[in-house]
Amino acid sequence: MALMPTPVTSLAALAAMALLTVAAPALAQTGAESRPIPSPAAIDAEVTRLMGATHSEGLALAVIDDGQVTQVRAWGDRNAKGDPLETDTVMYGASLTKAVFAWTVMQLVDEGKIDLDTPIAAYLPKPLPEYWSEELSDRYADYRGLADDPRWRTITPRILLTHSAGFSNFGFLEPDGKLKIHYDPGTRYAYSGDGLILLQFVLEQGLGMDIGAEMQRRVFDRFGMPMTGMMWRPDFATNLADGWTADGSVEPHDERSKPRAAGSMDTTIADLSKFVAAYVRRDGLSPASAAELVRPQLPIKTATQFPSFQDELPAAEQHPGLSAGLGVVTFTGPQGPGFFKGGHNDSTGNSWVCVEASRRCVLILSNDVRSEAAFPALVRFILGDTGVPYAWEYGPQPAL
């Protein structure tokens, strides 16, 4: 049976359930929560060790404890010249953008501008496949491939935020370059950047919003993030991180000229740590909407996140408690419920992990993709055993 989304009208009840869910682990996990966060000197030593083991050139890290930023650090270089990576160095946010975008959408839900369970067709003046033009193709997917598939009319914002529209990661990966639906929307998880971009399309073309401006006002300005933006700014150039790829070659920072909800955000570790702390404190949203972001919405049944289309595992082999939230992935581990989000390209590795009961988080931004191999050990060193399913996120990882 297909798993159907929960109507947004039940958010108040869901918030109450979420509070009970968080409260129970808080009582049961007193020992885990009393475990002290390692000192800056201890974290410095561990990061230095792990960067050496992975040959990483640059890594920045923030620690949030009880919803407050307690450490913000940076190590290594920001470019091949050897300029130091600093806490205010502009780095590529990659797919962490998706979690920030989802938070923005929930503000719009709170304001009644959009409903999570209203089909996107209701917000568009004309059918989605009719919007194609050369101008739009520079910003969005080619939706003409949906013309003969009426299932696009059943897609909702919730479905797009849970990566369950049935899309490939990006439409340009399709043989004809046009986005297609590969299974009934809302029935299973398959990671899709174009799903988030479709929701951006609905907000911009259907509701007349500028998502770059909305995120600037609602998030970056609100939480004091002066060196964060959804597109390139000339002032980023004075302290900017290039990246290192898996073979150790240097890749220049990509100057993104258009806001893209799937991953155009540039930021700094100092800036983004403020948002992560606010997020885990549930600032800026109604209790119901804040809880909805990290509520398990749809079970994830695949062995790994990629490729997007793969067979689902038998129940006994699935990662227990792994589910799609809204823009994040949720899990249940030894310290209770938590959530995480990764960000990746050829020269970027980012990770954001939070444990709800203790409101503890680790945020990692790295301008060297080789750092990803160190993330499981580094998060475990700082937070203890959280149960983050890193094998699902990255595949098998070496012991470091």
Side-chain angles (χ1 to χ4, degrees):
M1 179 181 295
L3 293 171
M4 300 305 294
T6 303
V8 74
T9 51
S10 63
L11 285 182
L14 291 169
M17 292 172 60
L19 290 173
L20 290 174
T21 302
V22 172
L27 294 175
Q29 296 296 324
T30 302
E33 290 180 27
S34 63
R35 176 188 185 274
I37 296 290
S39 68
I43 291 176
D44 179 78
E46 182 67 359
V47 169
T48 300
R49 181 186 76 82
L50 291 170
M51 289 180 67
T54 59
H55 308 289
S56 171
E57 297 288 349
L59 185 147
L61 178 146
V63 178
I64 288 85
D65 189 5
D66 193 23
Q68 302 298 322
V69 179
T70 59
Q71 297 188 44
V72 182
R73 312 284 300 284
W75 295 262
D77 299 333
R78 66 179 176 90
N79 56 32
K81 294 187 298 182
D83 292 328
L85 185 70
E86 299 170 316
T87 58
D88 59 351
T89 297
V90 175
M91 306 175 74
Y92 178 41
S95 285
L96 298 187
T97 309
K98 294 179 174 69
V100 184
F101 174 68
W103 189 96
T104 306
V105 171
M106 293 312 294
Q107 268 216 338
L108 298 174
V109 170
D110 277 343
E111 295 168 7
K113 293 181 170 64
I114 195 165
D115 182 280
L116 288 179
D117 298 302
T118 296
I120 60 172
Y123 297 106
L124 297 172
K126 60 183 181 181
L128 179 62
E130 295 181 12
Y131 275 90
W132 189 88
S133 69
E134 289 289 349
E135 180 182 2
L136 291 177
S137 68
D138 191 40
R139 301 186 62 190
Y140 311 111
D142 185 345
Y143 303 122
R144 291 176 294 175
L146 304 176
D148 297 324
D149 191 339
R151 290 180 295 177
W152 75 265
R153 294 182 175 276
T154 70
I155 294 173
T156 64
R158 186 189 303 275
I159 286 172
L160 296 172
L161 290 172
T162 55
H163 296 275
S164 59
F167 297 151
S168 58
N169 193 3
F170 290 104
F172 62 75
L173 299 174
E174 299 285 2
D176 61 359
K178 299 175 184 177
L179 202 62
K180 293 177 176 59
I181 298 173
H182 291 265
Y183 55 82
D184 289 346
T187 60
R188 57 161 287 182
Y189 179 100
Y191 194 91
S192 176
D194 263 338
L196 278 290
I197 291 171
L198 175 53
L199 184 51
Q200 176 184 349
F201 177 91
V202 171
L203 296 176
E204 293 187 334
Q205 301 298 314
L207 299 183
M209 296 181 181
D210 177 335
I211 199 59
E214 292 291 335
M215 292 177 71
Q216 183 68 47
R217 176 172 65 87
R218 294 173 179 275
V219 182
F220 311 146
D221 292 346
R222 180 188 190 102
F223 295 117
M225 302 165 65
M227 297 304 290
T228 301
M230 285 293 286
M231 57 189 293
W232 175 256
R233 292 185 350 218
D235 60 318
F236 289 167
T238 58
N239 189 357
L240 183 69
D242 294 329
W244 279 267
T245 64
D247 65 4
S249 58
V250 177
E251 186 173 271
H253 191 99
D254 187 2
E255 299 178 6
R256 289 163 177 81
S257 61
K258 296 177 178 62
R260 287 173 66 83
S264 71
M265 181 178 66
D266 279 321
T267 190
T268 72
I269 193 69
D271 275 6
L272 194 57
S273 65
K274 298 175 185 177
F275 173 74
V276 169
Y279 188 109
V280 78
R281 291 196 308 264
R282 302 188 173 183
D283 287 357
L285 296 174
S286 70
S289 286
E292 191 72 357
L293 282 168
V294 297
R295 182 178 69 84
Q297 305 267 335
L298 184 70
I300 296 174
K301 303 178 181 180
T302 53
T304 55
Q305 182 160 222
F306 294 107
S308 293
F309 302 127
Q310 57 181 286
D311 292 339
E312 295 186 327
L313 296 171
E317 299 176 24
Q318 294 168 16
H319 299 279
L322 187 63
S323 297
L326 300 180
V328 296
V329 175
T330 71
F331 67 94
T332 300
Q335 299 180 42
F339 59 91
F340 68 100
K341 184 73 188 81
H344 169 96
N345 73 1
D346 287 346
S347 59
T348 299
N350 299 333
S351 184
W352 166 15
V353 177
C354 288
V355 176
E356 290 191 64
S358 59
R359 300 195 301 179
R360 284 180 168 180
C361 307
V362 170
L363 172 67
I364 306 170
L365 303 180
S366 177
N367 59 327
D368 190 326
V369 73
R370 294 172 293 186
S371 295
E372 289 178 338
F375 291 173
L378 184 52
V379 171
R380 189 180 306 112
F381 180 80
I382 296 170
L383 295 181
D385 184 8
T386 61
V388 180
Y390 276 114
W392 176 83
E393 174 82 1
Y394 298 115
Q397 295 292 299
L400 296 175

